[in-house]
Amino acid sequence: MRNGKEPKRPMVPWGFVFGPTVSFGTMLLVVVLLQRWSPVAVVVVYALLFVVIWAPMVLVGSARARKLPFFALGLLNTLASFAGIIAGLVAYHRYVLPAASFEDHRMYSNVLTSEPPRSHADAGVLQFAKSCHVDGSKGVGMLREAGTFCAAPIVDDSAPGRVEYWAIGLDCCSSRGDFTCGDVEDKDARQGAVIRPEEPSWTDYFVPGEDSFEMYHKAVKQSASIYDVHTSEAPMMVHWVKDVKALENALALGAVIFGLLATLAVLCLMVPVAVVVDRATTRHLGAEK
């Protein structure tokens, strides 16, 4: 301190901004990368981060004036890291888990639409016969809060009859017909990436939403009823694509974009929060003098 004047404080306490943002981004990335292989590892990393966050409280000594700012920063970091876990689990269930499902299950070739789904119960990818295609004219779209859930039958020109496999998609059809989901307009597309019922996750309590599998199943039933298509009670639903690898890459890109946008949102949110917390801390210490 010179000439009895206190140093000018910055308008924005950037430590209060970047610290929580880094904590958030770190835990989001850890969950996305490690949740599939070892949930225990996620807990271990969070515990280590917790120690790092609160270590300054021990190292700065016993002076209250020095402890209070570190306490405020530690609290913000702790909340941000926990929010990062939740965001990471959301990204994991929306993007990572579906892509992993394609890899973890079997691939069947030359599949006919008349074959019972139970014969391919362990399928992750189906390669349909050349005579099979999606009948987009019999597509149905069900409008819900999350978007329009679309479904259309996969038919076999060489053996018309029961339809046990359906192509699905989100926001890619009208209420009747005009089904353009996935690569349905590509004549070389023959692969189906199987979708499975969503497993309940505790993130549902933080990010509630409709069960997409159930919504697609309702669209299937509606299409079957409207167009008199014979199907079973539990048909198999797939994303109709030319190359499943391209779908996996799109899901990976979606996870990256989700992570970047979530981290950017936290960064922007922390600027006003940091200013308020910093001023409140300063005011509290000044009142004690």
Side-chain angles (χ1 to χ4, degrees), residues 213-236:
F213 185 89
E214 184 62 27
M215 290 298 103
Y216 287 130
H217 190 255
K218 288 182 178 180
V220 167
K221 291 300 182 183
Q222 187 171 350
S223 175
S225 175
I226 292 173
Y227 297 106
D228 194 25
V229 177
H230 298 288
T231 189
S232 63
E233 286 298 318
M236 186 166 284

Side-chain angles (χ1 to χ4, degrees), residues 149-160:
F149 291 86
C150 307
I154 301 174
V155 298
D156 187 348
D157 291 335
S158 64

Side-chain angles (χ1 to χ4, degrees), residues 17-249:
V17 175
F18 291 116
T21 302
V22 171
S23 296
F24 175 88
T26 298
M27 288 312 305
L28 189 155
L29 184 63
V30 166
V31 171
V32 168
L33 295 179
L34 298 183
Q35 179 67 19
R36 180 186 176 193
W37 308 108
S38 176
V40 175
V42 175
V43 176
V44 171
V45 173
Y46 182 69
L48 292 174
L49 183 60
F50 186 85
V51 171
V52 172
I53 288 173
W54 291 104
M57 282 287 292
V58 178
L59 300 177
V60 296
S62 59
R64 181 177 176 81
R66 299 178 65 185
K67 275 183 173 292
L68 192 56
F70 283 104
F71 175 80
L73 180 59
L75 184 60
L76 289 175
N77 275 316
T78 301
L79 294 175
S81 59
F82 183 72
I85 293 177
I86 296 174
L89 287 171
V90 171
Y92 174 77
H93 283 278
R94 286 185 179 178
Y95 303 104
V96 179
L97 203 57
S101 177
F102 306 149
E103 296 180 353
D104 294 343
H105 294 83
R106 292 185 59 183
M107 177 176 180
Y108 288 89
S109 300
N110 202 34
V111 177
L112 299 175
T113 61
S114 58
E115 297 177 13
R118 62 178 179 274
S119 64
H120 304 130
D122 59 346
V125 179
L126 300 175
Q127 179 74 43
F128 287 91
K130 291 184 177 180
S131 57
C132 300
H133 65 92
V134 178
D135 187 352
S137 65
K138 295 180 179 179
V140 162
M142 294 185 62
L143 182 61
R144 293 293 185 269
E145 290 185 8
T148 302
F149 291 86
C150 307
I154 301 174
V155 298
D156 187 348
D157 291 335
S158 64
R162 292 184 64 85
V163 174
E164 301 291 3
Y165 301 87
W166 294 74
I168 54 88
L170 186 67
D171 294 331
C172 46
C173 68
S174 59
S175 59
R176 297 289 185 275
D178 195 26
F179 183 91
T180 59
C181 304
D183 295 328
V184 69
E185 295 181 338
D186 189 331
K187 294 182 179 180
D188 295 326
R190 289 288 183 276
Q191 289 188 347
V194 179
I195 70 165
R196 300 180 178 280
E198 298 176 359
E199 297 181 0
S201 168
W202 64 277
T203 58
D204 295 339
Y205 293 101
F206 297 94
V207 189
E210 296 172 303
D211 185 335
S212 59
F213 185 89
E214 184 62 27
M215 290 298 103
Y216 287 130
H217 190 255
K218 288 182 178 180
V220 167
K221 291 300 182 183
Q222 187 171 350
S223 175
S225 175
I226 292 173
Y227 297 106
D228 194 25
V229 177
H230 298 288
T231 189
S232 63
E233 286 298 318
M236 186 166 284
M237 298 180 289
V238 303
H239 292 287
W240 187 263
V241 295
K242 182 178 181 179
D243 182 9
V244 170
K245 287 295 181 184
L247 177 58
E248 292 176 356
N249 292 337

